[in-house]
C-alpha cells in the first residue's frame, strides 16, 4: 500500500502528455487540469514524507523491544443492552445482570495457636495447642423481586458444617429471613468473628449454647431503631428435634455528635423436647483446648428462659462495651428452677491515628485502617482490656465460677487481614476439676495468637 503511494508522485509525468491533447480542447480546460495535477502532486509528496517518518519510528521501537512489534491490541468484549452484565472487583468479584440476579463468593480463614498453663497437680491436659479455627466458603446474592440468598460452609476440623443457609426478602424497612441463621441474642454473639476484639467471644455466649438454628425471622429497622424477632427449632446438625423457641431483640443506636451509642436488650425462650437435658460449661478463653474448668454437668430440663442487656459506645479511637445475661432453666420432675449468670465489660483503644472501630446494623463491624500496609502505612493497632464473668453455681448445682482478666493486641494490616495476640488470667472458684489436694479454687493462664483473612 505504502509502495503504491510512493509511485503516485510520478503522476506529474501526465503533465508532459497534456500537449498531445487534441487541438480542439479548450485552452482553459487544459490550464485547469494542469493546476489540479500540480495540487495532487504536492499533497502526495507530503503524504509520502509522513509515511517515511512512521516507518522510521516503528523501526526504532522494534529495535528497542522486538516483542513490542508483535503485540496484538486487546479485544474489548461488547455486551448487548438486552443482556447487560456488570462485574465489580472488590475483595471478591461480584456479578450482576440487568434482570437483578447477582452472585458473590466470600470466605474466611482463621489459624490459631497458643498455650494453656494450669496448676501442676490438675488432672487435665495443658500446654501448646493449635487449630484451624474457621475455614469458611460461601456465596450470596440477589434474586429479582426483592429476594436474596446466602449459603456458607465451614471446613475447620476436617468436618463439613453448614453455618448459614438462608433465603431473604426485603420489603421497605422490613427484612424477612428463613433458614439457618443466628437467633437474636447478644451484641457479642451477633458481631462476626472477623470483627470481635478477642480471640473468642464472651464466656456466657458459648456456655449458654448460643448458636445458629433453623427458623423464620423478621426485623424492622428505621433510623436509630432496630427490632428483631423469630421462631426457631434446632441447628441443622441436631435435626430431627422437637424443641422450639422464640427470640427477640431491640436496639436503640443514636449518633450523638462524634459518639456512636448502642443500647439494647434481648429475650429468649426455648421449649425442650421430652426427656431433654442441658449442660453449661466453658473453656479457659481459647478454643484449641478441650478442657472445661467450669461445668454444670447434665441438667434435666423442660425449658430455657434468657434475658440480656447490651451497651456500647464508640468515639474516635476509643470504644466501650458491656453486656449482662441471665439464663434460667426450668427443670423436670418438679425440681426448682435454677438461674445462671454471665457478662463482661471491656474497653479498647486504637494507637494509630485516624482509626476507629466499625459499627453497622446494631453490631460491631469491620475496621478499615486509615493507612493500611501497602498504602504507605502500618495498618491499625488496637489494644483491648476485658473483665469476663461466668457463674454456673445455682441452688444444688455447683458448676463453678470463672473470673477472667483478658488483654488483646490486634494489628489490622489491611481491611481484610489482621493478626492478634491474647492473654488471659482466669480465677476459678468451685472448679469442676479439682487439684490433687481436692482444692477447687485456683487460677490458670492462657495465651493465644491468631492470623486471619477474609474476602
Amino acid at each position: 500500500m505504502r509502495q503504491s503511494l510512493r509511485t503516485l508522485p510520478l503522476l506529474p509525468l501526465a503533465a508532459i502528455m497534456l500537449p498531445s491533447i487534441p487541438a480542439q480542447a479548450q485552452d482553459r480546460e487544459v490550464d485547469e487540469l494542469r493546476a489540479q495535477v500540480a495540487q495532487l502532486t504536492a499533497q502526495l509528496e507530503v503524504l509520502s514524507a509522513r509515511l517515511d517518518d512512521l516507518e522510521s519510528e516503528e523501526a526504532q521501537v522494534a529495535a528497542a523491544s522486538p516483542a513490542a512489534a508483535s503485540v496484538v491490541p486487546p479485544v474489548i468484549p461488547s455486551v448487548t443492552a438486552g443482556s447487560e452484565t456488570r462485574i465489580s472487583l472488590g475483595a471478591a468479584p461480584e456479578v450482576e445482570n440487568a434482570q437483578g440476579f447477582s452472585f458473590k463468593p466470600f470466605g474466611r480463614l482463621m489459624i490459631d495457636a497458643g498455650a494453656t498453663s494450669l496448676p501442676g497437680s490438675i488432672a487435665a491436659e495443658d500446654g501448646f495447642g493449635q487449630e484451624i479455627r474457621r475455614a469458611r466458603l460461601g456465596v450470596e446474592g440477589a434474586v429479582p423481586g426483592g429476594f436474596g440468598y446466602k449459603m456458607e460452609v465451614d471446613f475447620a476440623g476436617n468436618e463439613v458444617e453448614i453455618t448459614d443457609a438462608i433465603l431473604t426478602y426485603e420489603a421497605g424497612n422490613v427484612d424477612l429471613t428463613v433458614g439457618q441463621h443466628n437467633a437474636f441474642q447478644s451484641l457479642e454473639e451477633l458481631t462476626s468473628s472477623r470483627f470481635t476484639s478477642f480471640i473468642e467471644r464472651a464466656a456466657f455466649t458459648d456456655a449458654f449454647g448460643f448458636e445458629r438454628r433453623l427458623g423464620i425471622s423478621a426485623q424492622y429497622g428505621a433510623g436509630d431503631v432496630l427490632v428483631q424477632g423469630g421462631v426457631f427449632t434446632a441447628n441443622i446438625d441436631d435435626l430431627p428435634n422437637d424443641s422450639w423457641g422464640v427470640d427477640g431483640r431491640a436496639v436503640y443506636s443514636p449518633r450523638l455528635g462524634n459518639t456512636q451509642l448502642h443500647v439494647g436488650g434481648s429475650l429468649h425462650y426455648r421449649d425442650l423436647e421430652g426427656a431433654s437435658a442441658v449442660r453449661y460449661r466453658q473453656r479457659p478463653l481459647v478454643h484449641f483446648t478441650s478442657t472445661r474448668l467450669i461445668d454444670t454437668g447434665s441438667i434435666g430440663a423442660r425449658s430455657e428462659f434468657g434475658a440480656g442487656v447490651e451497651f456500647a459506645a464508640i468515639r474516635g479511637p476509643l470504644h466501650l462495651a458491656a453486656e449482662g445475661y441471665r439464663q434460667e432453666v426450668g427443670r423436670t420432675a418438679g425440681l426448682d428452677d435454677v438461674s445462671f449468670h454471665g457478662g463482661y465489660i471491656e474497653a479498647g483503644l486504637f494507637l494509630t491515628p485516624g482509626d476507629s472501630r466499625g459499627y453497622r446494623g446494631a453490631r460491631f463491624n469491620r475496621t478499615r485502617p486509615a493507612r493500611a500496609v501497602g498504602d504507605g502505612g502500618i495498618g491499625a493497632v488496637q489494644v483491648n482490656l476485658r473483665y469476663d464473668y461466668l457463674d454456673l453455681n445455682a441452688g444444688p448445682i455447683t458448676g463453678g465460677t470463672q473470673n477472667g482478666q483478658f488483654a488483646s493486641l490486634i494489628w489490622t494490616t489491611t481491611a481484610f487481614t489482621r493478626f492478634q495476640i491474647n492473654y488471659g488470667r482466669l480465677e476459678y472458684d468451685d472448679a469442676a476439676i479439682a487439684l490433687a489436694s481436692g482444692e477447687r479454687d485456683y487460677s490458670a493462664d492462657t495465651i493465644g495468637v491468631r492470623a486471619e483473612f477474609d474476602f
Side-chain angles (χ1 to χ4, degrees):
M1 175 65 182
R2 292 179 181 177
Q3 186 62 33
S4 62
L5 286 174
R6 290 193 184 93
T7 61
L8 290 176
L10 297 177
L11 291 176
L13 294 177
I16 301 175
M17 302 174 60
L18 290 177
S20 63
I21 296 176
Q24 62 267 26
Q26 297 289 335
D27 291 341
R28 181 174 56 81
E29 293 178 353
V30 171
D31 292 340
E32 289 179 356
L33 182 58
R34 286 176 175 171
Q36 292 175 2
V37 170
Q39 183 180 9
L40 178 61
T41 300
Q43 292 176 350
L44 290 175
E45 288 177 350
V46 172
L47 180 59
S48 179
R50 178 55 182 158
L51 289 174
D52 290 340
D53 292 341
L54 289 175
E55 282 189 347
S56 177
E57 292 174 4
E58 290 178 356
Q60 293 175 4
V61 172
S65 177
S70 61
V71 173
V72 178
V75 177
I76 301 175
S78 60
V79 181
T80 62
S83 60
E84 183 178 356
T85 299
R86 184 186 64 174
I87 300 177
S88 58
L89 296 176
E94 181 175 7
V95 182
E96 182 179 1
N97 68 12
Q99 286 73 41
F101 288 97
S102 69
F103 175 89
K104 180 180 181 180
F106 62 89
R108 74 186 73 173
L109 175 65
M110 298 178 177
I111 305 171
D112 290 2
T116 57
S117 177
L118 308 179
S121 64
I122 196 171
E125 294 183 359
D126 66 352
F128 179 75
Q130 71 286 317
E131 68 174 340
I132 302 296
R133 181 64 177 94
R134 295 178 180 90
R136 297 182 181 177
L137 290 174
V139 294
E140 62 183 350
V143 179
F147 293 94
Y149 64 91
K150 180 180 180 182
M151 179 73 177
E152 183 181 39
V153 177
D154 195 341
F155 301 92
N158 295 321
E159 297 180 356
V160 178
E161 177 184 349
I162 296 176
T163 53
D164 287 319
I166 60 174
L167 177 66
T168 63
Y169 178 74
E170 181 179 349
N173 293 328
V174 176
D175 294 328
L176 302 177
T177 302
V178 60
Q180 171 150 302
H181 57 294
N182 262 319
F184 305 113
Q185 298 169 279
S186 169
L187 168 64
E188 179 86 341
E189 178 68 18
L190 294 175
T191 294
S192 170
S193 60
R194 299 168 295 166
F195 315 135
T196 55
S197 50
F198 287 85
I199 199 169
E200 295 296 330
R201 294 184 174 92
F204 75 88
T205 66
D206 186 46
F208 294 154
F210 296 176
E211 64 176 353
R212 292 170 170 86
R213 293 189 171 97
L214 189 65
I216 182 169
S217 68
Q219 73 172 29
Y220 169 82
D224 300 329
V225 175
L226 178 68
V227 179
Q228 302 167 301
V231 179
F232 298 88
T233 56
N235 186 278
I236 290 177
D237 290 340
D238 299 327
L239 296 177
N241 190 303
D242 293 335
S243 299
W244 63 273
V246 293
D247 290 271
R249 178 174 180 249
V251 175
Y252 179 56
S253 55
R255 187 168 185 88
L256 306 178
N258 295 325
T259 302
Q260 175 67 63
L261 291 179
H262 172 107
V263 179
S266 63
L267 294 174
H268 162 76
Y269 174 79
R270 184 165 178 77
D271 185 86
L272 303 172
E273 64 180 352
S276 290
V278 296
R279 184 181 186 182
Y280 303 142
R281 55 183 183 165
Q282 182 57 15
R283 298 174 173 90
L285 177 61
V286 293
H287 186 269
F288 51 74
T289 178
S290 60
T291 299
R292 275 88 162 183
L293 297 177
I294 54 174
D295 188 345
T296 63
S298 182
I299 305 172
R302 53 183 170 77
S303 66
E304 288 180 333
F305 177 76
V309 292
E310 311 169 9
F311 171 80
I314 304 171
R315 184 180 178 89
L318 176 68
H319 87 269
L320 301 172
E323 291 191 68
Y325 202 89
R326 178 179 182 270
Q327 182 90 321
E328 181 179 298
V329 178
R331 294 202 290 167
T332 57
L335 298 175
D336 292 338
D337 296 348
V338 290
S339 297
F340 306 97
H341 304 84
Y344 70 93
I345 182 170
E346 76 170 52
L349 178 69
F350 281 93
L351 305 181
T352 44
D355 292 315
S356 182
R357 193 166 188 187
Y359 180 89
R360 186 176 67 182
R363 55 189 176 179
F364 289 117
N365 203 261
R366 187 182 303 277
T367 293
R368 298 182 180 275
R371 287 170 288 277
V373 172
D375 292 333
I378 64 169
V381 178
Q382 180 188 20
V383 292
N384 303 284
L385 297 174
R386 169 180 285 184
Y387 169 68
D388 191 298
Y389 176 73
L390 181 60
D391 182 1
L392 298 184
N393 289 336
I397 299 173
T398 304
T401 61
Q402 174 180 289
N403 288 272
Q405 296 89 44
F406 302 151
S408 71
L409 175 65
I410 300 177
W411 179 28
T412 304
T413 49
T414 71
F416 303 96
T417 56
R418 71 174 188 168
F419 304 85
Q420 62 173 303
I421 181 170
N422 289 197
Y423 168 75
R425 175 72 173 181
L426 299 114
E427 303 288 342
Y428 292 98
D429 296 313
D430 301 316
I433 304 177
L435 303 179
S437 63
E439 179 65 37
R440 293 182 180 272
D441 299 345
Y442 52 81
S443 62
D445 296 280
T446 64
I447 188 168
V449 295
R450 171 175 292 174
E452 61 184 286
F453 84 96
D454 73 284
F455 62 90

